[in-house]
Amino acid sequence: MPKLNQDSLQKIDFTLNGVAETGTAEPRMLLSDFLRNVMGVTGCHVGCEHGVCGACTVQIDGKAQRSCLTLAVQVAGRKVDTVESLAGRENPLTDLQQAFKTHHGLQCGYCTPGILMSTSEFLDRNPNPTEEEVRDMLSGHLCRCTGYAGIVNAIMATIEERQGKAAAE
Amino acid sequence: MKPRKFDLVRAESTAEALAALSESGGNAKIFAGGQSLMAMMNLRLADPDVMVDISQVTELSYLKEVGDKLEIGAAATQVELLSWPGLAEKLPLLHQAIPHLGHFQTRNRGTICGSLAHSDPSSELPLCLATLEGEVVLRSVRGERVLSAADFQLGMMTTAREDDELIVAARYPFKKPGEGFAFTEVAQRRGDFAITAVAAVASGDVTRLGVGGVADKPTAKNWTNLSDDNLDEELNAFAWELGGSDDIHATAKYRRELVRRLGRRVIEEAKACRS
């Protein structure tokens, strides 16, 4: 049974945004701090650090989760995707990101990466949600600019566009 | 807002987790999803010397029908329960309550047994356990015991679990023919802790109402032949029995009013959907 000493640095092999990576962390290190400070992936934003605000939401094995309530060592062998995974370095924005831009779905932008990571999983599982379901999904995120109207509009526009494309095919 | 240092045991079996608990001398904490405990750690409200991670213990990650109950292993997540195919038909109360439990992002990781272990008095899963008269299975290197919800839930974030015990499973009783169920709650935001949550079961001439968020633990009461004429009076008496106190979210008076109003609503709904 692996018992990790509190002061020992653990080697963490995992897949970060589609690329095999290795980092080290003490047992107490949160995944949010590990991603930002060890792996340099600063798209994972740290807000409340107790699971309420949703800014730090990333996908672990494809499921949106709070990185501030996850230990870095727990992602060993797993697949972690942050907002950086959505559009590659050379690519334009994804349709969802473009809709956020078009519909003013981000103001200061602090909550945006978490919302994008939740929404992208949510729309994969549920491609044609109602606005009520979208608002329910967004209840897991706080936007202190209170710009929810733009966020909801951006997500609804993405759904409509995807549905239109699906119907045309 | 970071946890203090701790040794971490990444258990690969139930036996390893129980051994780690036994060896720790009482200052170890079990976690799987961490949706309650990691927040407590970050806030330094919990400061164990040893953390025992059971999220990888595959033998604890299951949902299975055992007799007239659904047995839920310690590592099974809330999203797994929500997507269990028989949920709406066999456990209608949980089917109604789970969407109020946190957010999909926390249900993706949070476990059922973790929520029961945390035992927040306003949380949905402990309320459903109390209302449905479910039970929990506690195991240690000393042996195993099964406690009813009433014997397990002792008070504000307090359960009968001993320091060396692991909640290996929880059991929620299935709907019986003729029963009707209803759940609702008032919270500041969908998914937040409820200011008051209510759950009702109606069956024949028996009505049972469970209330969370008022007393220091989820509390249920039974009535026989409860008529519409004396419902308000009975709910008022129950609201006063529950006590409740003022906090930053609501006054005790407001909570009593919620018990009266929401209580009536769920009892009427539960009676109407008996089948």
Side-chain angles (χ1 to χ4, degrees), chain B residues 21-98:
Chain B
L21 281 176
S22 174
E23 288 159 15
S24 73
N27 199 8
K29 285 273 188 193
I30 291 277
F31 76 118
Q35 299 302 290
S36 301
L37 185 59
M38 282 309 302
M40 301 272 286
M41 299 280 293
N42 288 356
L43 293 163
R44 305 276 175 124
L45 294 170
D47 62 343
D49 294 327
V50 181
M51 292 279 281
V52 183
D53 178 5
I54 58 163
S55 63
Q56 300 186 118
V57 180
T58 49
E59 63 189 332
L60 291 175
S61 181
Y62 67 89
L63 302 169
K64 70 176 177 198
E65 296 188 34
V66 178
D68 60 352
K69 297 183 183 74
L70 181 68
E71 184 173 302
I72 303 165
T77 60
Q78 294 155 9
V79 71
E80 285 164 355
L81 178 58
L82 191 57
S83 43
W84 186 64
L87 194 69
E89 186 196 335
K90 292 186 167 174
L91 288 162
L93 187 64
L94 285 177
H95 180 69
Q96 292 182 46
I98 294 175

Coordinates of all heavy atoms in Angstrom, one line a residue, chain B residues 21-98:
Chain B
L21 N -6.5 3.2 9.0 CA -7.4 3.9 10.0 C -7.0 3.4 11.4 O -6.9 4.2 12.4 CB -8.8 3.6 9.8 CG -9.5 4.5 8.7 CD1 -11.0 4.0 8.6 CD2 -9.5 5.9 9.1
S22 N -6.8 2.1 11.5 CA -6.5 1.5 12.8 C -5.1 1.9 13.3 O -5.0 2.2 14.5 CB -6.6 0.0 12.7 OG -6.1 -0.7 13.8
E23 N -4.2 2.0 12.4 CA -2.8 2.4 12.8 C -2.6 3.9 13.1 O -1.6 4.3 13.7 CB -1.8 2.0 11.7 CG -1.6 0.5 11.5 CD -1.1 0.1 10.1 OE1 -0.6 1.0 9.4 OE2 -1.2 -1.1 9.8
S24 N -3.6 4.7 12.7 CA -3.3 6.1 12.8 C -3.6 6.7 14.2 O -3.3 7.8 14.5 CB -4.3 6.8 11.8 OG -5.6 6.8 12.3
G25 N -4.2 5.9 15.1 CA -4.4 6.3 16.4 C -5.5 7.4 16.5 O -5.4 8.2 17.4
G26 N -6.4 7.4 15.6 CA -7.6 8.3 15.7 C -7.4 9.6 15.0 O -8.4 10.4 14.9
N27 N -6.3 9.9 14.4 CA -6.2 11.2 13.7 C -6.1 11.0 12.2 O -5.2 11.7 11.5 CB -5.1 12.1 14.2 CG -5.3 13.6 13.9 OD1 -6.4 13.9 13.3 ND2 -4.4 14.4 14.1
A28 N -6.9 10.2 11.6 CA -6.9 10.0 10.2 C -8.3 10.3 9.6 O -9.3 10.2 10.3 CB -6.6 8.5 9.8
K29 N -8.3 10.8 8.4 CA -9.6 11.0 7.8 C -9.7 10.3 6.5 O -8.7 10.3 5.7 CB -9.7 12.5 7.5 CG -10.1 13.4 8.7 CD -11.5 13.4 8.9 CE -11.9 14.4 10.0 NZ -13.3 14.3 10.5
I30 N -10.8 9.7 6.2 CA -11.1 9.0 4.9 C -11.6 10.1 4.0 O -12.4 10.9 4.3 CB -12.2 7.9 5.1 CG1 -11.7 6.8 6.0 CG2 -12.7 7.5 3.8 CD1 -10.9 5.8 5.2
F31 N -11.2 10.0 2.7 CA -11.8 10.8 1.7 C -11.8 10.0 0.4 O -11.0 9.1 0.1 CB -11.2 12.2 1.5 CG -9.9 12.2 0.8 CD1 -9.8 12.9 -0.4 CD2 -8.8 11.6 1.3 CE1 -8.6 13.0 -1.1 CE2 -7.6 11.6 0.6 CZ -7.5 12.3 -0.5
A32 N -12.8 10.3 -0.5 CA -12.9 9.7 -1.8 C -13.0 10.8 -2.8 O -12.1 11.2 -3.5 CB -14.0 8.7 -1.9
G33 N -14.2 11.5 -2.8 CA -14.4 12.6 -3.7 C -13.8 13.9 -3.2 O -13.4 14.8 -3.9
G34 N -13.8 14.0 -1.9 CA -13.2 15.2 -1.2 C -14.1 16.5 -1.3 O -13.6 17.5 -1.0
Q35 N -15.3 16.3 -1.8 CA -16.1 17.5 -2.0 C -16.5 18.2 -0.7 O -16.8 19.4 -0.7 CB -17.3 17.2 -2.9 CG -17.0 16.6 -4.2 CD -16.1 17.6 -5.0 OE1 -16.5 18.6 -5.5 NE2 -14.8 17.2 -5.2
S36 N -16.6 17.5 0.4 CA -16.8 18.1 1.7 C -15.5 18.3 2.4 O -15.2 19.4 2.9 CB -17.8 17.3 2.5 OG -19.0 17.2 1.9
L37 N -14.7 17.2 2.5 CA -13.6 17.2 3.4 C -12.4 18.1 2.8 O -11.8 18.8 3.6 CB -13.0 15.7 3.6 CG -11.9 15.6 4.5 CD1 -12.2 16.2 5.9 CD2 -11.4 14.2 4.7
M38 N -12.2 18.1 1.5 CA -11.1 18.9 1.0 C -11.4 20.4 1.2 O -10.5 21.2 1.5 CB -10.9 18.7 -0.5 CG -10.1 17.4 -0.8 SD -8.5 17.2 0.1 CE -7.7 18.7 -0.4
A39 N -12.7 20.8 1.2 CA -13.0 22.2 1.5 C -12.8 22.5 2.9 O -12.2 23.5 3.3 CB -14.5 22.4 1.2
M40 N -13.1 21.5 3.8 CA -12.8 21.7 5.3 C -11.3 21.7 5.5 O -10.8 22.5 6.4 CB -13.4 20.5 6.0 CG -14.8 20.3 5.9 SD -15.8 21.2 7.1 CE -15.4 20.2 8.6
M41 N -10.5 21.0 4.7 CA -9.1 21.0 4.9 C -8.5 22.3 4.4 O -7.6 22.9 5.1 CB -8.4 19.9 4.0 CG -8.9 18.5 4.3 SD -8.0 17.8 5.7 CE -6.4 17.6 5.0
N42 N -9.0 22.8 3.3 CA -8.5 24.1 2.8 C -8.8 25.2 3.8 O -8.0 26.2 3.9 CB -9.1 24.4 1.4 CG -8.6 23.5 0.3 OD1 -7.7 22.7 0.5 ND2 -9.1 23.7 -0.9
L43 N -9.9 25.1 4.4 CA -10.3 26.2 5.4 C -9.7 25.9 6.8 O -9.9 26.7 7.7 CB -11.9 26.2 5.5 CG -12.6 26.7 4.3 CD1 -14.1 26.3 4.4 CD2 -12.5 28.2 4.1
R44 N -8.9 24.8 6.9 CA -8.3 24.4 8.1 C -9.3 24.1 9.2 O -9.0 24.3 10.4 CB -7.2 25.4 8.6 CG -6.2 25.8 7.6 CD -5.1 24.8 7.6 NE -4.1 25.1 6.5 CZ -2.8 25.3 6.7 NH1 -2.3 25.3 7.9 NH2 -2.0 25.5 5.6
L45 N -10.5 23.7 8.8 CA -11.5 23.3 9.8 C -11.3 21.8 10.1 O -11.8 21.3 11.1 CB -12.9 23.5 9.3 CG -13.3 25.0 9.1 CD1 -14.6 25.1 8.4 CD2 -13.4 25.7 10.5
A46 N -10.6 21.1 9.2 CA -10.2 19.7 9.5 C -8.6 19.7 9.3 O -8.1 20.3 8.4 CB -10.8 18.8 8.5
D47 N -8.0 19.0 10.3 CA -6.5 19.0 10.2 C -5.9 17.6 10.6 O -5.2 17.5 11.6 CB -5.8 20.1 10.9 CG -6.1 20.0 12.4 OD1 -7.1 19.3 12.8 OD2 -5.4 20.6 13.2
P48 N -6.3 16.5 9.9 CA -5.8 15.2 10.2 C -4.3 15.1 9.9 O -3.8 15.8 9.0 CB -6.7 14.3 9.3 CG -7.0 15.1 8.1 CD -7.2 16.5 8.6
D49 N -3.7 14.2 10.6 CA -2.3 13.8 10.3 C -2.2 12.9 9.1 O -1.2 13.0 8.4 CB -1.6 13.1 11.5 CG -1.6 14.0 12.8 OD1 -1.4 15.2 12.6 OD2 -1.7 13.5 13.9
V50 N -3.2 12.1 8.9 CA -3.2 11.1 7.8 C -4.5 11.2 7.1 O -5.5 11.3 7.6 CB -3.0 9.7 8.4 CG1 -3.0 8.7 7.3 CG2 -1.8 9.5 9.3
M51 N -4.3 11.3 5.7 CA -5.5 11.2 4.9 C -5.5 9.8 4.2 O -4.4 9.4 3.7 CB -5.4 12.3 3.8 CG -5.5 13.7 4.4 SD -7.3 14.2 4.7 CE -7.8 14.6 3.0
V52 N -6.6 9.2 4.1 CA -6.7 7.9 3.5 C -7.6 8.0 2.3 O -8.8 8.3 2.4 CB -7.3 6.8 4.5 CG1 -7.3 5.5 3.8 CG2 -6.4 6.8 5.7
D53 N -7.0 7.9 1.1 CA -7.8 8.1 -0.2 C -8.3 6.7 -0.6 O -7.6 5.8 -0.9 CB -6.8 8.7 -1.2 CG -7.5 8.8 -2.6 OD1 -8.7 8.6 -2.7 OD2 -6.7 9.2 -3.5
I54 N -9.7 6.6 -0.6 CA -10.3 5.4 -1.0 C -10.9 5.5 -2.4 O -11.6 4.6 -2.9 CB -11.4 4.9 0.0 CG1 -12.5 5.9 0.1 CG2 -10.8 4.5 1.3 CD1 -13.8 5.4 0.8
S55 N -10.6 6.5 -3.1 CA -11.2 6.7 -4.5 C -10.8 5.7 -5.5 O -11.5 5.5 -6.5 CB -10.9 8.1 -5.0 OG -9.5 8.3 -5.2
Q56 N -9.7 5.0 -5.2 CA -9.2 4.0 -6.2 C -9.6 2.5 -5.7 O -9.1 1.6 -6.4 CB -7.7 4.1 -6.3 CG -7.2 5.4 -6.8 CD -5.8 5.4 -7.1 OE1 -5.3 5.6 -8.3 NE2 -5.0 5.1 -6.1
V57 N -10.3 2.4 -4.6 CA -10.6 1.1 -4.1 C -11.8 0.6 -5.0 O -13.0 1.0 -4.7 CB -11.0 1.1 -2.6 CG1 -11.3 -0.3 -2.2 CG2 -9.8 1.7 -1.8
T58 N -11.5 -0.2 -6.0 CA -12.6 -0.6 -6.9 C -13.7 -1.4 -6.2 O -14.9 -1.3 -6.6 CB -12.0 -1.4 -8.1 OG1 -11.2 -2.4 -7.6 CG2 -11.3 -0.5 -9.0
E59 N -13.3 -2.2 -5.2 CA -14.3 -3.0 -4.5 C -15.4 -2.2 -3.8 O -16.4 -2.7 -3.4 CB -13.7 -4.1 -3.6 CG -12.9 -3.5 -2.5 CD -12.1 -4.5 -1.7 OE1 -12.5 -5.7 -1.7 OE2 -11.1 -4.1 -1.1
L60 N -15.1 -0.9 -3.6 CA -16.0 0.0 -2.9 C -16.8 0.9 -3.9 O -17.6 1.7 -3.5 CB -15.3 0.9 -1.9 CG -14.7 0.2 -0.6 CD1 -13.9 1.2 0.2 CD2 -15.8 -0.4 0.2
S61 N -16.5 0.7 -5.1 CA -17.2 1.5 -6.2 C -18.3 0.7 -6.8 O -18.1 0.2 -7.9 CB -16.1 2.0 -7.2 OG -16.7 2.8 -8.1
Y62 N -19.4 0.7 -6.2 CA -20.5 -0.1 -6.8 C -21.9 0.4 -6.3 O -22.0 1.0 -5.3 CB -20.3 -1.6 -6.3 CG -20.6 -1.8 -4.9 CD1 -21.8 -2.1 -4.4 CD2 -19.5 -1.8 -4.0 CE1 -22.0 -2.3 -3.0 CE2 -19.7 -2.0 -2.6 CZ -21.0 -2.2 -2.1 OH -21.2 -2.4 -0.8
L63 N -22.9 0.0 -7.1 CA -24.3 0.2 -6.7 C -24.9 -1.2 -6.9 O -24.8 -1.7 -8.0 CB -25.0 1.2 -7.6 CG -24.4 2.6 -7.7 CD1 -25.1 3.4 -8.8 CD2 -24.7 3.3 -6.4
K64 N -25.5 -1.8 -5.9 CA -26.2 -3.1 -6.2 C -27.4 -3.2 -5.4 O -27.6 -2.7 -4.3 CB -25.2 -4.2 -5.9 CG -24.8 -4.5 -4.5 CD -23.9 -5.7 -4.3 CE -23.5 -5.9 -2.9 NZ -22.4 -6.7 -2.6
E65 N -28.4 -4.0 -6.0 CA -29.6 -4.2 -5.3 C -29.4 -5.3 -4.3 O -28.9 -6.4 -4.6 CB -30.7 -4.6 -6.3 CG -31.0 -3.5 -7.3 CD -32.2 -3.8 -8.2 OE1 -33.1 -4.5 -7.7 OE2 -32.2 -3.4 -9.3
V66 N -29.7 -5.1 -3.0 CA -29.6 -6.1 -2.0 C -31.0 -6.2 -1.3 O -31.3 -5.3 -0.6 CB -28.5 -5.8 -0.9 CG1 -28.4 -6.8 0.1 CG2 -27.1 -5.6 -1.6
G67 N -31.7 -7.2 -1.6 CA -33.1 -7.4 -1.1 C -33.9 -6.2 -1.6 O -34.0 -5.9 -2.8
D68 N -34.5 -5.5 -0.6 CA -35.4 -4.4 -0.9 C -34.7 -3.0 -0.8 O -35.3 -2.0 -0.6 CB -36.7 -4.4 0.0 CG -36.3 -4.3 1.5 OD1 -35.1 -4.4 1.8 OD2 -37.2 -4.2 2.3
K69 N -33.4 -3.1 -0.9 CA -32.6 -1.8 -0.8 C -31.6 -1.7 -1.9 O -31.1 -2.7 -2.5 CB -31.9 -1.8 0.5 CG -32.8 -1.8 1.8 CD -32.0 -1.6 3.0 CE -32.8 -1.7 4.3 NZ -33.3 -3.1 4.5
L70 N -31.1 -0.4 -2.2 CA -30.0 -0.2 -3.0 C -28.8 0.0 -2.1 O -28.8 0.9 -1.3 CB -30.2 1.0 -3.9 CG -29.0 1.3 -4.9 CD1 -28.9 0.2 -5.9 CD2 -29.1 2.6 -5.5
E71 N -27.8 -0.8 -2.3 CA -26.6 -0.7 -1.5 C -25.5 0.1 -2.3 O -25.3 -0.2 -3.5 CB -26.0 -2.0 -1.1 CG -24.8 -1.9 -0.2 CD -24.3 -3.2 0.4 OE1 -25.1 -3.9 1.1 OE2 -23.1 -3.6 0.1
I72 N -25.0 1.1 -1.7 CA -24.1 2.1 -2.4 C -22.8 2.0 -1.8 O -22.6 2.4 -0.6 CB -24.7 3.5 -2.4 CG1 -26.1 3.5 -3.0 CG2 -23.8 4.5 -3.1 CD1 -26.9 4.8 -2.7
G73 N -21.8 1.6 -2.5 CA -20.4 1.5 -1.9 C -19.8 2.8 -1.7 O -20.2 3.8 -2.2
A74 N -18.8 2.8 -0.8 CA -18.2 4.1 -0.3 C -17.6 4.9 -1.4 O -17.5 6.2 -1.3 CB -17.1 3.8 0.8
A75 N -17.1 4.3 -2.5 CA -16.4 5.1 -3.5 C -17.3 5.4 -4.7 O -16.9 6.0 -5.7 CB -15.2 4.3 -4.0
A76 N -18.6 5.0 -4.6 CA -19.5 5.3 -5.7 C -19.9 6.8 -5.7 O -20.2 7.4 -4.6 CB -20.8 4.5 -5.6
T77 N -19.9 7.4 -6.9 CA -20.1 8.9 -6.9 C -21.6 9.2 -7.1 O -22.4 8.4 -7.5 CB -19.3 9.5 -8.1 OG1 -19.8 8.9 -9.3 CG2 -17.8 9.3 -7.9
Q78 N -21.9 10.5 -6.8 CA -23.2 10.9 -6.9 C -23.7 10.9 -8.3 O -24.9 10.6 -8.6 CB -23.3 12.4 -6.3 CG -23.0 12.4 -4.8 CD -22.5 13.7 -4.3 OE1 -22.5 14.7 -5.0 NE2 -22.1 13.7 -3.0
V79 N -22.9 11.2 -9.3 CA -23.3 11.1 -10.7 C -23.6 9.7 -11.1 O -24.5 9.4 -11.9 CB -22.3 11.8 -11.6 CG1 -21.0 11.0 -11.8 CG2 -22.9 12.0 -13.0
E80 N -22.9 8.7 -10.5 CA -23.2 7.3 -10.8 C -24.6 6.9 -10.3 O -25.3 6.2 -10.9 CB -22.1 6.4 -10.2 CG -20.8 6.4 -11.0 CD -19.6 5.9 -10.2 OE1 -19.7 5.5 -9.0 OE2 -18.5 5.8 -10.8
L81 N -24.9 7.4 -9.1 CA -26.2 7.1 -8.5 C -27.3 7.8 -9.4 O -28.3 7.2 -9.7 CB -26.3 7.6 -7.1 CG -27.7 7.5 -6.4 CD1 -28.1 6.0 -6.4 CD2 -27.7 8.0 -5.0
L82 N -27.1 9.1 -9.8 CA -28.0 9.8 -10.6 C -28.3 9.1 -11.9 O -29.4 9.2 -12.4 CB -27.6 11.2 -10.8 CG -28.6 12.2 -11.4 CD1 -29.8 12.3 -10.5 CD2 -27.9 13.6 -11.5
S83 N -27.3 8.4 -12.4 CA -27.5 7.8 -13.7 C -27.8 6.3 -13.6 O -27.8 5.5 -14.6 CB -26.3 8.0 -14.7 OG -25.1 7.9 -14.0
W84 N -28.0 5.8 -12.3 CA -28.4 4.4 -12.1 C -29.8 4.2 -12.8 O -30.7 5.0 -12.5 CB -28.5 4.1 -10.6 CG -28.7 2.6 -10.3 CD1 -28.0 1.6 -10.7 CD2 -29.9 2.1 -9.7 NE1 -28.5 0.4 -10.2 CE2 -29.7 0.7 -9.6 CE3 -31.0 2.7 -9.1 CZ2 -30.7 -0.1 -9.0 CZ3 -32.0 1.8 -8.5 CH2 -31.8 0.4 -8.5
P85 N -30.0 3.2 -13.6 CA -31.2 3.1 -14.5 C -32.5 3.0 -13.7 O -33.5 3.5 -14.1 CB -30.9 1.8 -15.3 CG -29.5 1.5 -15.2 CD -29.0 2.1 -13.9
G86 N -32.4 2.4 -12.5 CA -33.7 2.2 -11.7 C -34.1 3.3 -10.8 O -35.0 3.2 -10.1
L87 N -33.3 4.4 -10.8 CA -33.5 5.4 -9.8 C -34.9 6.0 -9.8 O -35.5 6.0 -8.7 CB -32.5 6.5 -10.0 CG -32.3 7.5 -8.8 CD1 -31.7 6.8 -7.6 CD2 -31.5 8.7 -9.2
A88 N -35.4 6.4 -10.9 CA -36.7 7.1 -10.9 C -37.8 6.2 -10.4 O -38.7 6.5 -9.7 CB -37.1 7.6 -12.3
E89 N -37.7 4.9 -10.8 CA -38.8 3.9 -10.5 C -38.7 3.4 -9.0 O -39.6 3.3 -8.3 CB -38.7 2.8 -11.5 CG -39.8 1.8 -11.3 CD -39.5 0.5 -12.1 OE1 -38.6 0.5 -13.0 OE2 -40.0 -0.6 -11.7
K90 N -37.4 3.1 -8.6 CA -37.3 2.4 -7.3 C -36.9 3.3 -6.2 O -37.2 3.0 -5.0 CB -36.2 1.3 -7.5 CG -36.6 0.2 -8.4 CD -35.6 -0.9 -8.4 CE -36.2 -2.1 -9.1 NZ -35.3 -3.2 -9.3
L91 N -36.3 4.5 -6.5 CA -35.9 5.4 -5.5 C -36.4 6.8 -5.9 O -35.5 7.7 -6.0 CB -34.4 5.4 -5.2 CG -33.9 4.1 -4.5 CD1 -32.4 3.9 -4.7 CD2 -34.2 4.1 -3.0
P92 N -37.7 7.0 -6.0 CA -38.2 8.3 -6.5 C -37.8 9.5 -5.6 O -37.6 10.6 -6.2 CB -39.7 8.2 -6.5 CG -40.0 6.8 -6.0 CD -38.8 6.1 -5.7
L93 N -37.6 9.3 -4.3 CA -37.2 10.4 -3.5 C -35.8 10.9 -3.8 O -35.5 12.1 -4.0 CB -37.3 10.0 -2.0 CG -37.1 11.2 -1.0 CD1 -38.2 12.3 -1.2 CD2 -37.1 10.7 0.4
L94 N -34.9 9.9 -4.0 CA -33.5 10.3 -4.4 C -33.5 10.9 -5.8 O -32.7 11.9 -6.0 CB -32.6 9.1 -4.3 CG -32.1 8.6 -3.0 CD1 -31.3 7.3 -3.1 CD2 -31.4 9.6 -2.2
H95 N -34.3 10.4 -6.6 CA -34.4 10.9 -8.0 C -34.8 12.4 -8.0 O -34.2 13.2 -8.8 CB -35.4 10.1 -8.8 CG -35.6 10.5 -10.2 ND1 -34.6 10.4 -11.2 CD2 -36.6 11.2 -10.9 CE1 -35.0 10.9 -12.3 NE2 -36.2 11.4 -12.2
Q96 N -35.7 12.8 -7.1 CA -36.1 14.2 -7.0 C -35.0 15.0 -6.2 O -34.9 16.2 -6.5 CB -37.4 14.3 -6.2 CG -38.6 13.7 -7.0 CD -39.9 13.9 -6.2 OE1 -40.2 15.0 -5.7 NE2 -40.7 12.8 -6.1
A97 N -34.4 14.4 -5.3 CA -33.5 15.2 -4.4 C -32.1 15.4 -5.0 O -31.5 16.5 -4.7 CB -33.3 14.5 -3.0
I98 N -31.5 14.5 -5.7 CA -30.1 14.6 -6.1 C -29.8 15.8 -7.0 O -28.8 16.4 -6.8 CB -29.6 13.3 -6.7 CG1 -29.6 12.2 -5.7 CG2 -28.2 13.4 -7.3 CD1 -29.3 10.8 -6.2

